[in-house]
Amino acid sequence: MIYGNRDVGINYIRTRSNHTCYGMGIGIMVLDDAYPGFPGDVRNASAFPYPVQYEIAEGVDNHTLVWEPDKTPCREPILRAAARLERMGCRAVAAECGYFAYFQKDVARHVAIPVFMSSLLQVPFIQQVIGPDKAVGIVCAQKRFLTDAHLENVGIDLNSRYIVAGAQDEYRCREFDNLWDHEKRPDVPAIYYDKAESDMIRTCTGFCNAHPNIGALMLECTGMQPFARAVQRATDLPVFSWGTLLDYAYSIVVHRDYYGHV
């Protein structure tokens, strides 16, 4: 069988940093929690245009990472997951939930590859591109659980221009409760796309109407990415998400060639 031309830039190969596998892209640690994700959700591999490798952060679920005030028990399992992804051969480490921001500095110190633990890493960048008179609108799952420590650990100046909205606890996105609220979700978590999309559009348009100075939206949560385009159509704003961060991360660690003409 003929597959076409090989990459002539790959002629000689050698072991890289004791990695066991090759051709890996982004290594993504996921919560030790069973719930589904639509294509576009970080835990759904089907929509990524590049290779990803998953690793479960054993014992770290939605409750322990997000709800529990004491995050200490999560630290070692997260570091172990990051180290396993690095050993596997991943070129960067990421996570699936924006609240992993709490451990950005810990993981970056622990591994020798780039670390993207939270979609919120984009906020300081967004602030630079929208100008000093506009604010970044951060739409997170539950506002009450997003602490100053989360924000500071990904480089967000607490005195800078951003506004936070909670999709579940402030805007009542009930479909998301079926996945991420351990007190309300059913034994078998399930969600309807059309209802979730409607919730997200209602939340983001209401948020923007309440704060006309918002210059861009930052969708913190892994499950919000599938609805980013619908949100953009409704708000006519730049929309950042886990998807924009991971695409950027991959472009950094696996740079593409350029073909064209002059």
Side-chain angles (χ1 to χ4, degrees):
M1 183 177 291
I2 299 175
Y3 290 97
N5 295 331
R6 69 178 180 87
D7 185 343
V8 296
I10 301 174
N11 185 49
Y12 167 74
I13 60 176
R14 62 183 176 86
T15 302
R16 176 169 54 87
S17 302
N18 201 31
H19 292 171
T20 57
C21 297
Y22 294 83
M24 312 295 289
I26 307 296
I28 303 173
M29 68 175 72
V30 296
L31 294 170
D32 191 358
D33 220 337
Y35 57 84
F38 292 111
D41 190 311
V42 178
R43 67 167 43 205
N44 186 322
S46 67
F48 286 103
Y50 39 80
V52 297
Q53 173 72 35
Y54 289 117
E55 181 69 44
I56 296 172
E58 300 286 349
V60 181
D61 59 16
N62 182 272
H63 180 257
T64 56
L65 178 70
V66 179
W67 293 60
E68 284 288 348
D70 182 10
K71 315 294 184 189
T72 307
C74 298
R75 184 178 184 274
E76 287 305 316
I78 287 172
L79 295 182
R80 287 196 298 270
R84 287 194 295 267
L85 288 167
E86 181 180 31
R87 175 68 193 282
M88 180 66 75
C90 297
R91 289 184 169 269
V93 171
E96 72 154 331
C97 175
Y99 292 88
F100 274 102
Y102 197 89
F103 297 98
Q104 170 68 29
K105 293 180 179 179
D106 289 331
V107 178
R109 189 179 298 114
H110 190 67
V111 298
I113 55 178
V115 173
F116 302 85
M117 291 298 289
S118 176
S119 54
L120 297 173
L121 283 163
Q122 298 169 99
V123 171
F125 172 75
I126 302 169
Q127 290 172 329
Q128 295 302 311
V129 301
I130 64 174
D133 297 327
K134 296 179 181 178
V136 179
I138 300 173
V139 183
C140 65
Q142 300 218 41
K143 180 178 179 178
R144 56 180 171 152
F145 297 135
L146 190 65
T147 68
D148 289 352
H150 289 95
L151 301 176
E152 289 181 315
N153 282 340
V154 291
I156 299 174
D157 182 349
L158 299 182
N159 296 313
S160 62
R161 296 180 71 84
Y162 66 87
I163 308 166
V164 180
Q168 291 172 256
D169 53 352
E170 189 173 8
Y171 282 88
R172 310 302 182 197
C173 291
R174 299 305 186 194
E175 281 300 291
F176 291 148
D177 288 345
N178 292 326
L179 298 183
W180 309 319
D181 190 323
H182 75 280
E183 295 178 341
K184 298 177 181 178
R185 70 183 183 185
D187 292 337
V188 180
I191 185 172
Y192 286 99
Y193 188 99
D194 55 351
K195 294 180 181 179
E197 182 180 70
S198 177
D199 279 348
M200 277 301 298
I201 292 172
R202 174 178 52 79
T203 294
C204 292
T205 54
F207 184 35
C208 292
N209 288 338
H211 302 279
N213 64 323
I214 289 176
L217 288 171
M218 171 71 255
L219 307 183
E220 166 273 326
C221 186
T222 176
M224 295 177 180
Q225 164 65 17
F227 314 107
R229 189 172 183 181
V231 167
Q232 187 166 65
R233 285 172 172 162
T235 62
D236 198 27
L237 287 173
V239 176
F240 295 77
S241 67
W242 266 111
T244 57
L245 179 67
L246 294 182
D247 288 351
Y248 179 66
Y250 185 77
S251 75
I252 292 169
V253 297
V254 185
H255 214 289
R256 70 181 182 90
D257 287 321
Y258 294 91
Y259 298 92
H261 63 276
V262 293

